[in-house]
């Protein structure tokens, strides 16, 4: 029962910030799941894969509720979504396939590097100055491939990559956040399929009630909470200042990153 409560609280927290900041919440969810899965005696060399796969599956549902709210505010550029999605799908599935061939330690190292990058980016409130026009279909295809590949390796909805990219390409910030929320859906869907397929074809036994690298009990409780809180966070994006909440989120990211780094060392 205590695991269910942890999943519910984590889902509620992650869902809120996913809607608020246009992110998928994986940078919080993955470290929590690693801790819980370790306590549940999951296979050590597959814990990171399970955490990434389960998180990607959760983002499917979080992104739906978040993008719906952003769409209601007219903040989603659907033309960008349509043009970037093919690259997103190819890159994300490829990244998940690559992750399946990596060791848990290597995946953890990549995740730690990215979590420090993300925390620093948010701490400095880095927003690239609009410098370029939005590229055409080929350019968006390539950008989507890179965003998708990196997102699948660290189990994020892509907001930390797509928001700066869209801002650089002269997209209004709120539209960049809303569009990033919409892009999060194909990222999560393709990434989940990749982690399920790669988990099913690997020879070592996985924990009960798992579909590939997706742990279904964790998925159910995480989704139940995150779908309720994601719209709340998305509404606050359009009505309040988020500086204090952003600072709290950054401190938490650094704390989780340091803890994972210590464990790796």
């Amino acid at each position: 029962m205590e695991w269910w409560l942890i999943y519910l609280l984590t889902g509620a927290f992650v869902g809120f910030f996913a809607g608020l900041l246009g992110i998928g919440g994986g940078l919080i969810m993955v470290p929590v799941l690693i801790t819980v899965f370790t306590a549940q005696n999951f296979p050590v060399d597959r814990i990171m894969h399970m955490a990434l796969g389960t998180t990607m599956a959760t983002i499917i549902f979080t992104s739906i509720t978040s993008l719906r709210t952003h769409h209601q505010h007219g903040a989603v550029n659907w033309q960008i979504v349509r043009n970037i999605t093919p690259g997103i799908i190819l890159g994300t599935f490829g990244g998940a396939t690559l992750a399946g061939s990596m060791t848990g330690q290597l995946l953890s190292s990549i995740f730690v590097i990215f979590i420090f990058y993300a925390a620093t980016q948010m701490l400095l409130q880095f927003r690239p100055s609009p410098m370029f026009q939005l590229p055409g279909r080929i350019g968006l295809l390539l950008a989507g491939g890179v965003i998708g590949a990196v997102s699948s390796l660290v189990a994020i909805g892509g907001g930390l990559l797509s928001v700066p990219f869209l801002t650089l390409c002269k997209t209004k910030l709120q539209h960049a956040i809303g569009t990033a929320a919409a892009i999060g859906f194909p990222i999560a869907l393709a990434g989940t399929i990749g982690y399920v397929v790669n988990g099913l074809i690997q020879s070592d036994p996985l924990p009960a009630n798992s579909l590939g690298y997706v742990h279904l009990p964790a998925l159910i409780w995480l989704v139940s909470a995150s779908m309720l809180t994601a719209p709340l966070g998305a509404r606050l994006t359009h009505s309040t200042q988020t500086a204090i909440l952003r600072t709290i989120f950054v401190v938490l990211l650094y704390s989780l990153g340091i803890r994972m780094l210590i464990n790796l060392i």
Side-chain angles (χ1 to χ4, degrees):
M1 178 66 75
E2 63 270 21
W3 306 127
W4 301 356
L5 180 59
I6 292 173
Y7 293 144
L8 282 171
L9 292 175
T10 303
F13 184 85
V14 168
F16 176 78
F17 278 98
L20 181 73
L21 304 176
I23 63 174
L27 295 179
I28 297 294
M29 192 175 292
V30 168
V32 173
L33 289 180
I34 290 173
T35 300
V36 176
F37 291 165
T38 300
Q40 291 180 285
N41 296 317
F42 282 16
V44 175
D45 59 339
R46 293 299 158 184
I47 286 176
M48 189 64 186
H49 298 79
M50 295 292 298
L52 291 171
T54 304
T55 297
M56 290 300 288
T58 304
I59 296 173
I60 292 177
F61 302 92
T62 303
S63 64
I64 291 174
T65 55
S66 180
L67 77 86
R68 182 173 58 189
T69 304
H70 285 292
H71 173 67
Q72 290 172 350
H73 286 87
V76 179
N77 187 321
W78 288 106
Q79 182 177 357
I80 294 176
V81 175
R82 286 192 295 270
N83 290 335
I84 203 172
T85 293
I88 288 288
I89 293 174
L90 291 174
T92 307
F93 189 83
T97 301
L98 178 62
S101 65
M102 293 182 177
T103 64
Q105 186 172 16
L106 178 56
L107 278 174
S108 296
S109 299
I110 293 173
F111 188 87
V112 168
I113 293 172
F114 192 84
I115 201 172
F116 281 119
Y117 155 78
T120 303
Q121 181 193 62
M122 296 181 70
L123 176 66
L124 300 178
Q125 298 188 31
F126 172 72
R127 299 291 184 193
S129 300
M131 298 175 59
F132 306 103
Q133 295 296 326
L134 195 70
R137 291 186 177 181
I138 299 300
L140 287 176
L141 178 71
L142 295 175
V146 174
I147 291 171
V150 176
S151 298
S152 64
L153 288 174
V154 293
I156 60 172
L160 288 167
L161 301 173
S162 53
V163 171
F165 167 71
L166 293 173
T167 303
L168 185 67
C169 296
K170 299 183 179 180
T171 302
K172 184 180 177 182
L173 180 58
Q174 286 189 345
H175 289 172
I177 292 175
T179 304
I183 292 172
F185 177 73
I187 287 176
L189 183 61
T192 299
I193 294 173
Y195 278 105
V196 167
V197 171
N198 282 278
L200 290 174
I201 63 176
Q202 69 97 29
S203 58
D204 297 331
L206 294 174
N209 301 315
S210 295
L211 180 62
Y213 289 131
V214 177
H215 188 55
L216 298 178
L219 173 63
I220 292 171
W221 292 107
L222 288 166
V223 167
S224 298
S226 63
M227 289 186 69
L228 294 176
T229 57
L232 299 177
R235 291 190 186 99
L236 285 179
T237 297
H238 302 276
S239 61
T240 66
Q241 296 294 325
T242 62
I244 295 177
L245 291 173
R246 183 183 299 272
T247 300
I248 294 173
F249 192 79
V250 167
V251 171
L252 182 57
L253 285 182
Y254 275 123
S255 300
L256 292 171
I258 291 171
R259 183 177 185 276
M260 288 190 67
L261 180 60
I262 292 173
N263 289 338
L264 278 173
I265 294 174

